[in-house]
Amino acid sequence: MAVYFVQGVLGLASLARTFYFKEALHLSPAEVAALSGLFIVPWTIKPLYGFFSDTVPLFGYRRKSYLLLAGLVGSASWLALATVVDSVQAAVFFSLLASASVAVSDVVVDSLVVERARQSAEAGDGTSGGGALQSLCWSCQAFGGLASAYASGSLLDALGPKPVFGITAVFPLIVVAAAAQLVEERRPGLLAGGPSSLGQAATAQAQLLWSAVSQRR
């Protein structure tokens, strides 16, 4: 639930980032709009993140390690924007990192929700448990989005963009804390089974993906 809330509340920095690009870095509205489209790119390759988290365990974990990494990268990116960034290139780079970190955490936590729903169904709880869990997740995300929408303008007006980036850097640490408490079975480490084992896992995932895409409804 905490991860979904963070995804919503990270919108706190959206207005501040647009203001920063226009007022501090002196970009035109057209350039800011183009960059806003660029920041969506990490979300367009979400299946790739899911593929890696399913086939390549980091430090023995398929979910926990990726969530930890995403939270740390997101926090570091917003902190950099709040402190050392003073050029367009650096601002774009760290904004892309921040966007990618949210996309990765979204993929991983969605996988966890699917696994929990499947376990609930196998335990005989029916499909309502999974639906209720998903609804709760979306509600948490919506609540975070509403809170950020309400506060973003006031904070920007009172503090300016860089302090808002600094405040935003705190929220990905909630993802880190949630991931640290996640109970997950440890698996063989990265490439522990050799390149052939990784290749077999990749092939299996590709077959599952093709089966899902080509399935007739």
Side-chain angles (χ1 to χ4, degrees), residues 5 10 32 38 65 71 77 90 98 114 121 136 175:
F5 171 77
L10 285 178
V32 173
L38 180 64
S65 296
S77 299
V114 170
L136 181 59
V175 176

Side-chain angles (χ1 to χ4, degrees), residues 5 11 27 31 40 111 133 145 153 159 166 174 179 182 192:
F5 171 77
L27 297 182
E31 290 171 327
I40 301 175
S111 299
L133 178 60
L159 302 176
I174 299 176
L182 181 64

Side-chain angles (χ1 to χ4, degrees), residues 54-172:
D54 285 339
T55 58
V56 185
L58 289 181
F59 308 108
Y61 298 103
R62 295 189 301 121
R63 311 298 186 206
K64 186 174 186 175
S65 296
Y66 282 93
L67 272 180
L68 284 169
L69 181 62
L72 290 173
V73 169
S75 181
S77 299
W78 288 114
L79 187 61
L81 284 165
T83 54
V84 299
V85 169
D86 58 1
S87 67
V88 175
Q89 293 82 0
V92 171
F93 174 74
F94 284 109
S95 293
L96 279 171
L97 274 184
S99 179
S101 71
V102 180
V104 170
S105 66
D106 181 70
V107 168
V108 174
V109 78
D110 281 348
S111 299
L112 289 171
V113 169
V114 170
E115 290 173 0
R116 297 295 187 272
R118 184 183 299 120
Q119 291 171 1
S120 177
E122 291 175 352
D125 295 336
T127 58
S128 60
L133 178 60
Q134 193 170 42
S135 297
L136 181 59
C137 293
W138 288 345
S139 297
C140 290
Q141 185 173 3
F143 178 74
L146 287 172
S148 66
Y150 179 79
S152 59
S154 300
L155 285 175
L156 177 60
D157 186 54
L159 302 176
K162 285 200 173 256
V164 173
F165 296 153
I167 294 172
T168 306
V170 175
F171 292 106

